[in-house]
Amino acid sequence: MQRMPRLLVSLCLGASLLTPLGMQARDHDHDRERRYYDREHRDYHAWDTHEQAAYRHWLMEERREREYRDYPRLERERQAEYWRWRHEHRDWH
């Protein structure tokens, strides 16, 4: 009968010790900068908040898409279209 509370306490203690490690790993992945390769121009582009805003503008305003789609989910030709537009609009705010 006394084993049950000890087991429960041990499980809670173990979970409380492992939770911060999981949170730290998730935060690290979120902060990591992603880069995408532009095949036509043979260069890499850092995907940061500025690039995300430019992509959203291109997708919703220039292409007149009705729904947002994450860049990695676009077909390769659509990705190439985006990078063509981006090279033509380097100074996009």
Side-chain angles (χ1 to χ4, degrees), residues 42 49 56 65 74 82 89 91:
R42 295 187 176 133
T49 54
R56 184 175 291 277
E65 296 287 330
L74 290 181
Y82 171 69
H89 299 86
D91 59 345

Side-chain angles (χ1 to χ4, degrees), residues 2-76:
Q2 286 185 346
R3 284 186 163 182
M4 187 59 108
R6 284 185 183 175
L7 179 61
L8 188 58
V9 168
S10 296
L11 287 174
C12 289
L13 181 61
S16 67
L17 292 174
L18 292 176
T19 300
L21 294 175
M23 296 294 286
Q24 186 179 18
R26 190 180 76 207
D27 289 344
H28 178 70
D29 286 344
H30 180 69
D31 292 340
R32 185 173 36 177
E33 182 180 275
R34 293 186 180 175
R35 293 178 1 146
Y36 292 101
Y37 185 67
D38 177 2
R39 291 175 186 265
E40 286 184 16
H41 295 94
R42 295 187 176 133
D43 60 352
Y44 284 92
H45 296 270
W47 198 268
D48 54 13
T49 54
H50 181 72
E51 197 65 52
Q52 177 66 30
Y55 169 71
R56 184 175 291 277
H57 170 81
W58 172 79
L59 188 67
M60 306 305 280
E61 302 297 325
E62 301 290 327
R63 296 219 22 103
R64 307 274 193 250
E65 296 287 330
R66 293 182 180 185
E67 286 186 27
Y68 177 82
R69 289 190 68 191
D70 286 332
Y71 173 81
R73 292 181 168 246
L74 290 181
E75 294 175 8
R76 184 177 286 178

